[in-house]
Amino acid sequence: MPAAGFKLGYTSAAMRAQMNIDQPNFGVLTEAHRLGVDGRAIDRGRLIHPRVEPEIALRLARELAGAGHDRASVSRHLDAVMPALEVVDTRYPDYRFTLVDNIADNSSSAGFVTGPALPWQDGFDLGAVEVALQIDGQVVDRGRGADAMGDPLLALAWLAGFLAERGLVVPAGAVVLTGGLTRAQPVERGQLVEAAFGWLGRVQTRFG
């Protein structure tokens, strides 16, 4: 299955505390992880015990390689930014696992949905973006871009450095989910999930 990009896990203190994980990790996204367009229903029946997380997604215009990147150097590699919802799921009962277990489970990735893409501009301050996660119209949690390692661009820089240690790169065209900005929230059949990211826009999906 062709690769689509990467998802970062446990970039926020809220997620590390919720899952008792002490450091970030990542998983690989394939085209099969794209769960359709914004607003399209997701088949709840094919999942075990899914949860959703609002995330800021970055799309690369050109390959990002090597370690030691900062906001400015990462910014020069970007093509677009998108509001996103990640669907996480796991084979482990009650979401109880070690970091190694979670890495083996591809960081619990079940799929993702992205909203409209905004062409990237160097002046965007993603750390200041505030997000409200809603289920059936009720706000269930809030976060901000800075909850992902201080800035989603720094989360992407971490990924580039981690991959560089293994002789790998973040390729051009990759979509990177930079980490959940709230605690992961459980979802059931029939529920409508929406995340509002202020000026960055909204993304929603329904579980059918």
Side-chain angles (χ1 to χ4, degrees), residues 29-46:
L29 299 174
T30 70
E31 290 299 331
H33 285 97
R34 295 186 193 267
L35 298 180
V37 297
D38 177 34
R40 180 177 176 182
I42 293 172
D43 182 6
R44 172 65 176 80
R46 73 177 186 85

Side-chain angles (χ1 to χ4, degrees), residues 49-126:
H49 39 197
R51 299 181 180 184
V52 292
E53 306 169 8
E55 308 205 9
I56 293 176
L58 299 170
R59 188 172 68 210
L60 276 73
R62 57 193 182 94
E63 178 183 288
L64 180 63
H69 285 284
D70 57 18
R71 288 182 179 87
S73 62
V74 165
S75 180
R76 292 193 291 269
H77 291 75
L78 297 180
D79 169 55
V81 58
M82 296 161 279
L85 288 168
E86 184 186 8
V87 181
V88 295
D89 201 6
T90 182
R91 69 195 71 182
Y92 298 111
D94 302 321
Y95 278 83
R96 297 184 182 276
F97 42 68
T98 66
L99 178 64
V100 173
D101 292 333
N102 187 241
I103 291 170
D105 199 28
N106 199 36
S107 192
S108 301
S109 183
F112 67 99
V113 177
T114 54
L118 290 180
W120 178 253
Q121 297 181 32
D122 287 340
F124 283 165
D125 182 1
L126 298 184

Side-chain angles (χ1 to χ4, degrees), residues 11-12 54-56 71 125-131 142-155 178-182 197 200:
T11 58
S12 74
E55 308 205 9
I56 293 176
R71 288 182 179 87
D125 182 1
L126 298 184
V129 171
E130 296 187 355
V131 59
R142 297 181 183 272
R144 58 197 306 266
D147 292 329
M149 287 187 163
D151 189 305
L153 298 188
L154 296 180
T178 54
L181 301 179
T182 69
F197 292 79
L200 184 55

